[in-house]
Amino acid sequence: LLFRTVGAKASTLWAIALLASGQSSTITGTFAGQFVIEGFLQLSMPLWLRNLVSRAVAIIPSLVVTLIAGPSGANQLIIVSTVMLAMHLPLALVPLLKFTDSPLKMGNQRNSRLFSVISWSLAMIVVAANVTVVWDASITPLLNQKSPPIILLAMWGLGSAAYLTLLAHLILLPVRNAVPLPACLAEDVQEGSGTGGQQISGME
């Protein structure tokens, strides 16, 4: 698809995008690991060791697959990871937007109406793109077979229905639980309780 769009530069652009996304996810994973290790597990370790462990957990499985299965196996791993990311990203993106829209969670630092509209519009574009990725990578190859596996397609259909139901659940349910806010963020949340973007059940 990228080759049909940009031509011979597709491989270079893909490599740059893959490197950038890999760095972003590794940095995020390192910070998350820091909070889990030091905050929840109460374990303290040197910064270099924590970074080494976090990056090893991210890199070693991919390296092992590449060494064992070769370039074709690495390509399949990228496709599988892309599909999994496409399925999980909306489940993280929707609560994030809901919480940052809500004065119950953010006080007077909640998203403005304009920013909220732009954010939700971009989120819907991302969700639509992810649906396309999952369809092209998972469903289309099954449909193109001479004898499509009916049972597997039915399982995909049931799984898709359950996934869309969960996503709708996240979008439609209201935010209910307020959190203690610093004085600089506190405001009369009742005043903002009628605004949009305050939906999702009691997650804190």
Side-chain angles (χ1 to χ4, degrees), residues 99-103 106-112 187 191-192 195:
F99 288 156
T100 55
D101 278 348
S102 173
M106 297 297 295
N108 56 20
Q109 296 298 311
R110 70 182 184 273
N111 295 336
S112 66
E187 67 171 359
E191 178 182 343
T195 61

Side-chain angles (χ1 to χ4, degrees), residues 30 45-60:
T30 301
M45 63 176 61
L47 178 62
W48 67 269
L49 180 58
R50 183 173 64 240
N51 291 341
L52 178 62
V53 171
S54 299
R55 283 164 172 76
V57 170
I59 294 173
I60 289 178

